[in-house]
Amino acid sequence: DLGLRPADRVIVYTGSTTFANQGEIRELLRAVHLLDRPDRPVRLVRTGFHPPEFFAACDFDWQRFTVDTGFVAKARLPALLALADVLVQPGRPGAFDDYRLPSKLPEFLAMGRPVVLPACNLGRLLCDGEEALLLPTGSAAEIAGHCERILADSALAHRLGDGAAAFARRHFDLAHIGPTLLAFYEDVAAAPARADWTQIN
């Protein structure tokens, strides 16, 4: 359905391009541009919406290796993720990525595919080289280098995929997370207020 060929190696990124992540998405596109070559074609499968002005700033032929699916219903995402040789969450430590948890990361990890992500937020809990490969700078060259390692080493790919799935089972199982989150909210609600909010009109 996506026009992929048997020889294509596939990187998947699910999510739209916004004003906040344009730089990161451009680094991902540049990374795939570096990876794609005639003897080992690499395709980037992406979902979501992407503003036309974003592509106007690209100085390379991103369309050659990109498969844009547009909006994809949630129920179809697992099938797309299952196509991946590598799942990449671009980004870098800093004010934007340090304090967020991209909603796609639990899904990426649960798929049992190799994951590349920034060395911040959730990446601070993952064991580099065992559960994922971490990006200290998030540059295109760094993303490409990590993906190259995975594509060239099937043992590494299997180890990372198994480690990612095990991490997801430990940290994102709803039967465990639900009571833990409820207990956190109850602790916060039971703590005395740090300010006298009754004085605010």
Side-chain angles (χ1 to χ4, degrees):
D1 291 347
L2 299 177
L4 297 172
R5 300 162 297 183
D8 289 341
R9 307 305 296 273
V10 180
I11 295 171
V12 175
Y13 175 81
T14 52
S16 296
T17 302
T18 69
F19 73 94
N21 70 358
Q22 285 193 24
E24 298 177 354
I25 301 302
R26 194 166 286 116
E27 292 300 309
L28 175 58
L29 287 172
R30 287 189 185 281
V32 182
H33 177 63
L34 293 172
L35 287 163
D36 182 41
R37 58 181 197 244
D39 66 312
R40 203 269 323 273
V42 176
R43 297 292 173 260
L44 174 64
V45 175
R46 304 189 319 163
T47 68
F49 303 106
H50 316 285
E53 60 270 20
F54 168 75
F55 299 110
C58 291
D59 56 359
F60 53 88
D61 183 10
W62 57 270
Q63 292 175 303
R64 189 188 77 246
F65 52 78
T66 303
V67 178
D68 271 318
T69 65
F71 175 80
V72 173
K74 187 77 169 175
R76 288 190 57 212
L77 287 180
L80 283 181
L81 297 176
L83 294 172
D85 292 293
V86 188
L87 295 164
V88 178
Q89 169 62 54
R92 60 180 54 83
F96 179 58
D97 281 316
D98 284 354
Y99 300 102
R100 73 188 190 109
L101 171 59
S103 59
K104 66 182 71 62
L105 283 180
E107 297 170 347
F108 278 12
L109 294 163
M111 288 303 300
R113 295 289 194 266
V115 178
V116 173
L117 75 160
C120 58
N121 61 65
L122 186 58
R124 296 176 63 188
L125 301 177
L126 287 155
C127 180
D128 190 22
E130 296 295 328
E131 298 167 328
L133 291 184
L134 303 181
L135 299 166
T137 70
S139 70
E142 193 173 67
I143 295 170
H146 283 8
C147 291
E148 188 71 61
R149 285 180 60 195
I150 293 167
L151 296 177
D153 187 342
S154 60
L156 173 64
H158 285 298
R159 184 171 75 245
L160 292 172
D162 290 346
F167 182 93
R169 286 192 297 271
R170 289 195 308 273
H171 295 277
F172 300 122
D173 180 75
L174 290 179
H176 170 70
I177 290 296
T180 302
L181 183 60
L182 177 60
F184 170 76
Y185 285 143
E186 289 173 342
D187 286 347
V188 171
R194 296 183 180 181
D196 184 2
W197 297 105
T198 62
Q199 301 303 313
I200 297 177
N201 293 328

